Amino acid sequence: MSDTAQSFPTRVDISLTVNGEPVDARVDVSRHLVDFLRLDLGLTGAHAGCEHGVCGACTLQVDGEIVRGCLMLAAQLDGAEVWTVEGLTETGALADLQAAFVERNALQCGFCTPGMLFAAADILAQGGQPSRVAIREHISGNYCRCTGYEAVVDAIETVAGARARGEEVSA
Amino acid sequence: MKAAAAGYIRANDLPHAISLLEQSRGEARILAGGQSLIASLNLRLAGETALIDINGVAELSGIELVGEQLRIGALTRHRELASSDLVARHVPAIAQAAPLIAHAAIRNRGTIGGSLAYADPAAELPACMLALDAQIVVRGPAGERRVRAGDFFVDLFTTDLAEDEMIVAVEVPVAVAGERQATMELARRSGDYALAGIVLVDRPSGVRAAFFGVGPTPILATGAMAAIDRGASPDEAAALLEGDLQPLDDVHAPAAVRLHLARVLLRRALAATRS
């Protein structure tokens, strides 16, 4: 490694918000976002699964868009707004989805569930009543090894219908 | 596993990014969307490299019509390609390709410049550039140059980029009157890399068919293209693909399956552009 490459900082200061709370941290540049949340902030809702972007268990929201938490580095988050399942549970933004997942038994071990909820919320945010094919396509990047997906699609479809009709779904 | 990055700097602007690249003498890489690079770092396949983060470089974003070309900034995300009216109107092959790339969460981050620089032979956008005869705009310490897509993809994961150069944009000729385009692929699961894919650009002046997933780079099927231009039937053109493509056996599919799928795709794409 040359002197020039060594002059690249290996720790970086970041200032961001996580679930609406301001966070200032000095992070190792190799730290990915999920480990930063889980190990440094104690927010274990986003799960570290494959850690190369395939399984979707780490899916969460950065600046209003769903992303793979394992495919962003914490160092990239200066100025970012991050939301995890803990935060959106507290605000109630996912309450109807979470209730439908429980109702339809759309989880067994639950490992995929936080990521699945973010993928589901993302297609629901587009509004209207998506087809089952469109729902399947939208959650195709989130692996569930328990349910076979039918119940997950059922739950998302149910919530889409309820939201389209303007119904309240209590948690 | 966990990433092994040797260092990280946010580039403030394009000259800053290029100067960091030059100073690093090949030991730093450009971090754009990171959807392949960070995965490679996590898997420890990319070595311990320093990173120059260009996500804050505003001049690399944006899609604009410049004369007869659509200029797409290197940092344009796949999601933006999928939703852009300019892309849908002027280069529909790219609008059709974008939703085929991975999954929503990855399309939100992944960039066109990153995809082209990575040069995965099964990726959609390199084949789009080849079929559309786009130019890749590349900048380094010596200034800017333009490389035709046909000269840019050199080999498996290997491009014409020098170690101190980066992609700043692509310039894609816009569709002319009567032109039809089709991008299609066949994959085992939605969002997987394609077993085979095609980008067909069907211009009144002649057809260009680029295939992906069937060789070390995207490949122009020149034999089949010439036959189609001579008036050959889709079946006759598809039969010529054996001479145009060099698929390899791998764990996902034997070469013969990929060749078969390429033939299916050529017939389907022609049916779409000539219906």
Side-chain angles (χ1 to χ4, degrees):
Chain A
M1 186 73 44
S2 70
D3 290 344
T4 44
Q6 278 173 4
S7 72
F8 277 65
T10 57
R11 292 177 73 75
V12 172
D13 291 327
I14 55 173
S15 190
L16 66 156
T17 68
V18 178
N19 296 332
E21 303 282 333
V23 174
D24 295 295
R26 174 164 291 187
V27 295
D28 186 291
V29 297
S30 294
R31 192 67 126 188
H32 60 53
L33 170 53
V34 188
D35 274 356
F36 172 65
L37 293 168
R38 294 177 61 84
L39 305 177
D40 298 339
L41 303 185
L43 293 167
T44 56
H47 291 162
C50 72
E51 294 186 289
H52 64 284
V54 174
C55 77
C58 62
T59 306
L60 45 81
Q61 229 181 57
V62 174
D63 294 332
E65 290 176 343
I66 57 167
V67 302
R68 295 283 202 248
C70 71
L71 296 185
M72 281 193 83
L73 300 174
Q76 296 182 271
L77 293 172
D78 192 46
E81 182 184 336
V82 176
W83 286 91
T84 70
V85 72
E86 290 95 337
L88 292 191
T89 299
E90 203 161 291
T91 65
L94 298 174
D96 53 355
L97 259 176
Q98 288 164 317
F101 267 56
V102 171
E103 176 70 26
R104 301 295 306 181
N105 204 23
L107 64 154
Q108 289 178 34
C109 83
F111 191 83
C112 72
T113 309
M116 196 68 87
L117 287 168
F118 273 93
D122 192 55
I123 188 169
L124 291 176
Q126 296 167 14
Q129 175 73 62
S131 66
R132 290 180 74 85
V133 170
I135 293 170
R136 280 192 171 273
E137 167 64 27
H138 211 80
I139 63 168
S140 65
N142 292 72
Y143 286 6
C144 172
R145 303 287 79 156
C146 302
T147 64
Y149 303 100
E150 273 311 302
V152 177
V153 177
D154 289 346
I156 298 169
E157 194 179 28
T158 304
V159 174
R163 287 193 188 180
R165 291 187 301 273
E167 289 170 13
E168 294 264 325
V169 180
S170 58
Chain B
M1 290 196 297
K2 311 302 179 188
Y8 169 96
I9 294 183
R10 274 175 227 121
N12 303 319
D13 52 29
L14 197 47
H16 185 211
I18 300 217
S19 115
L20 289 168
L21 204 51
E22 184 181 20
Q23 287 162 29
S24 80
R25 296 168 195 277
E27 291 182 14
R29 292 189 194 209
I30 298 289
L31 173 59
Q35 301 302 285
S36 298
L37 177 53
I38 295 180
S40 310
L41 291 172
N42 288 353
L43 291 166
R44 306 287 172 101
L45 293 173
E48 198 164 327
T49 184
L51 300 170
I52 302 164
D53 186 347
I54 57 168
N55 282 278
V57 179
E59 61 215 275
L60 294 173
S61 293
I63 301 172
E64 60 176 332
L65 194 59
V66 183
E68 299 299 300
Q69 313 264 320
L70 196 66
R71 184 182 164 98
I72 304 174
L75 206 55
T76 305
R77 318 273 170 190
H78 305 322
R79 170 183 45 78
E80 298 171 86
L81 295 177
S83 62
S84 157
D85 290 338
L86 283 173
V87 172
R89 191 175 328 137
H90 296 294
V91 278
I94 296 177
Q96 293 170 42
L100 302 176
I101 302 168
H103 311 283
I106 288 170
R107 291 193 291 271
N108 283 340
R109 295 291 306 165
T111 67
I112 187 169
S115 173
L116 302 182
Y118 187 52
D120 190 303
E124 294 83 358
L125 293 176
C128 286
M129 296 303 114
L130 182 60
L132 292 160
D133 199 16
Q135 302 219 76
I136 320 297
V137 185
V138 161
R139 198 179 294 183
E144 204 164 271
R145 66 190 179 104
R146 283 168 169 72
V147 187
R148 288 180 71 168
D151 299 322
F152 187 77
F153 303 104
V154 175
D155 203 345
L156 196 66
F157 299 109
T158 307
T159 70
D160 187 54
L161 277 175
E163 68 177 24
D164 57 0
E165 288 181 317
M166 58 180 280
I167 299 173
V168 296
V170 295
E171 291 172 350
V172 190
V174 300
V176 299
E179 178 171 335
R180 304 280 295 274
Q181 302 179 1
T183 301
M184 297 178 175
E185 69 179 37
L186 292 164
R188 286 188 195 277
R189 289 163 301 222
S190 176
D192 279 9
Y193 275 112
L195 294 174
I198 186 173
V199 183
L200 183 71
V201 175
D202 202 349
R203 290 184 179 136
S205 58
V207 71
R208 285 171 70 89
F211 284 85
F212 51 101
V214 289
T217 62
I219 297 169
L220 217 46
T222 50
M225 283 158 44
I228 295 163
D229 287 344
R230 284 195 307 268
S233 71
D235 283 342
E236 288 165 343
L240 295 173
L241 288 178
E242 188 162 13
D244 289 333
L245 310 177
Q246 298 85 41
L248 297 172
D249 291 317
D250 64 24
V251 295
H252 302 292
V257 168
R258 289 181 191 267
L259 185 60
H260 170 74
L261 297 177
R263 288 180 174 136
V264 169
L265 286 165
L266 179 61
R267 287 191 292 260
R268 287 186 187 174
L270 280 169
T273 60
R274 300 193 165 185
S275 61

